[in-house]
Amino acid sequence: MSSISSLSRAVSGLRANQQALQSTAHNLANVNTPGYVRQQILMKESNYLKIGTSGNSNLMVGMGTDVECLRQVRDMFLDGAFRNEASRYGYYRSGAETVQEIETVLGEIEGESMETVLNKFYKSLNELSKHPDGREARGTFVQSAVLFVNKANLVMEQLNEYQLNLNKQVIDNVDEINRLGEEIDRLNKEIVKYELNGDNANDYRDARNLALDKLSHIVDITYSEDKTGNVNVKAEGHNLVSVDHVYKIELEQSVPNSPLVSPIWEDTGKRVFNLDTEISAERENDKGSLKGLLMARGTRQANWMDTKKADEYNKNVKPSILMTAQAKFDLFVHSVVTTINDIVAPRGKGTDSPYGLDGSQNIEVFKRINMDRYNGSTYNGEDKTNYSSLYSAGNLEINPEILNDYDKICITEDLTKVQDNNIVEDIIKKWQEPNITEYPGCEAKLNINKYYISFVGEIGNLGKSARTQMDNQQILVAQIDNQRSTFMGVSSDEELGNMMKYQHAYNASARVVTVVDQMLDQVINRLGIVGR
């Protein structure tokens, strides 16, 4: 009877170490699988059997080894910390990449910058002042004006294209959130199905945790697991995944007449993000690449008109890096254009306006593409609701009349004194006057050159701040991820060591089986047969 029990204990050792070898092999096979967490067999002593007493002590004998569980070596606190910081990293990366793109578009880092083009244009204006009737000086002025308009139009076109690119990223992010929500819901069902039957679903749990990692990068999430194994996920405080249901995110137009879209909840129709509140680390709402994209992109294309009212600018434009760049750059271009146009072709069209060398009057240098400066004798003013009426970057060209004939540049006050440079000097004087408000609502005013330098400096400071925040978050995320990898990841060396350990334990158990088998053979076949 005792020998049979010994055989049973040896078999329990064989079974336990066989499972341990299988889990070790599974770990090694998935050493490079994204999101995989190493699994570990926990063994425990089996029951004890009382076989007698010795004085006051019971004589006990163990029944072998049992497998308590096959567990994942996962730290939920590290998971939570990683997802929290990864979410912040996603937010700040969106802002940093946007500022970097704006700097590239302006060309202040590489290529011919807007500042270089502006300086060439201003230099040509000064040369024109020296020789107002000179064909060469007039030609140089026109060519510099062409370069300025082309550069201004190109910059605004690229800013607008990048805004549409950000909008495409917003759509992609929303699609990814919906896809990850469905994947988590599917994995919930698989996990519950297997674990209700007493099996383990560790690989499905790894896949679900990987999906949560990805989701946290895009949007701020909270989650909890119920007793059946379902994980319920909330995004921005709204249910995203609950038992047997995924709440989808849809898209709607951001504001009327805008090609941009904003995410809304399918079930309530409400906006996913409340972007009216201040977003900061102190409020702990600076999370998610999707929110970062929406903040960087804004709700529509901005122009210089948005800088006229400080309260509207601060509420609708300033929170968006890209809209701020569009509005302030357009204000700069508008100032250059109107400084010259309003002198050579006054808004109050009259017979006392400056003359061209051929006697022409009221011919503007910079022209709106689809609108003339005058309707008869009336000036066609700018209307915020009509883009074609704006002297804005992207809606400008050099007046074809001047391109075809430089004599039509109206900078002569008196046709009998064509060398008189009073008109050009008036333009230069106005150029140098501090007429542009540095920030909507502030008292400080700058001239054209200083305003542009201030604008570029502001973009540079935003970029430096955004990159610093992004780099800090990246380092933090990397540190936590390294801790997770150290604790939860698969180490080939460690697993090979475990494999040798379990293999030796398996061999030892097998040896016990062999010894017991030989002992039984001896007892049964060679002892107690009388007369042989």
Side-chain angles (χ1 to χ4, degrees), residues 288-306:
S289 61
L290 180 55
K291 184 186 286 185
L293 286 170
L294 290 169
M295 291 299 296
R297 183 205 65 182
T299 55
R300 59 178 172 78
Q301 180 184 338
N303 57 54
W304 74 273
M305 282 282 196
D306 291 300

Side-chain angles (χ1 to χ4, degrees), residues 141-154:
F141 171 75
V142 171
Q143 293 307 316
S144 298
V146 169
L147 287 177
F148 175 79
V149 167
N150 289 343
K151 182 69 176 178
N153 288 342
L154 178 64

Side-chain angles (χ1 to χ4, degrees), residues 262-478:
S262 294
I264 60 171
W265 288 110
E266 177 190 45
D267 58 332
T268 62
K270 293 182 178 178
R271 291 282 172 96
V272 175
F273 302 98
N274 179 12
L275 302 181
D276 293 332
T277 59
E278 180 187 356
I279 297 176
S280 65
E282 290 76 16
R283 292 175 178 268
E284 295 191 353
N285 57 357
D286 53 340
K287 297 177 182 177
S289 61
L290 180 55
K291 184 186 286 185
L293 286 170
L294 290 169
M295 291 299 296
R297 183 205 65 182
T299 55
R300 59 178 172 78
Q301 180 184 338
N303 57 54
W304 74 273
M305 282 282 196
D306 291 300
T307 64
K308 296 184 73 174
K309 295 182 178 179
D311 53 345
E312 292 183 8
Y313 174 85
N314 291 330
K315 179 181 178 182
N316 302 322
V317 178
K318 190 177 180 181
S320 164
I321 299 171
L322 194 52
M323 287 182 69
T324 299
Q326 288 172 328
K328 298 196 75 171
F329 178 76
D330 197 41
L331 177 61
F332 153 72
V333 173
H334 181 269
S335 299
V336 172
V337 169
T338 54
T339 293
I340 296 174
N341 275 358
D342 288 351
I343 291 178
V344 300
R347 299 186 186 191
K349 187 177 182 181
T351 55
D352 57 346
S353 302
Y355 295 93
L357 292 179
D358 60 354
S360 56
Q361 287 182 293
N362 300 309
I363 298 178
E364 59 184 351
V365 176
F366 301 99
K367 183 181 180 302
R368 292 166 287 194
I369 292 176
N370 293 313
M371 183 175 284
D372 293 330
R373 188 167 180 81
Y374 302 104
N375 182 14
S377 60
T378 305
Y379 170 70
N380 284 321
E382 296 180 80
D383 181 1
K384 184 177 182 179
T385 61
N386 181 9
Y387 176 75
S388 297
S389 71
L390 302 180
Y391 284 98
S392 284
N395 188 41
L396 295 172
E397 63 180 1
I398 299 299
N399 196 327
E401 291 185 71
I402 290 178
L403 277 177
N404 294 330
D405 186 357
Y406 299 157
D407 289 350
K408 293 188 180 298
I409 302 175
C410 301
I411 52 174
T412 301
E413 195 171 24
D414 187 341
L415 281 176
T416 62
K417 300 176 181 178
V418 294
Q419 293 181 343
D420 187 3
N421 65 355
N422 289 340
I423 299 298
V424 181
E425 286 297 320
D426 286 345
I427 295 174
I428 294 173
K429 182 181 178 183
K430 189 175 180 183
W431 183 295
Q432 295 174 338
E433 288 177 352
N435 292 319
I436 312 174
T437 303
E438 187 174 12
Y439 304 102
C442 79
E443 298 294 330
K445 291 189 175 182
L446 304 173
N447 65 27
I448 289 173
N449 290 72
K450 289 183 178 178
Y451 176 82
Y452 185 73
I453 292 171
S454 171
F455 164 64
V456 173
E458 180 184 356
I459 296 296
N461 289 334
L462 283 174
K464 184 179 180 180
S465 174
R467 281 190 290 273
T468 300
Q469 289 172 318
M470 181 189 71
D471 291 343
N472 290 339
Q473 282 302 130
Q474 189 174 24
I475 292 170
L476 194 55
V477 169

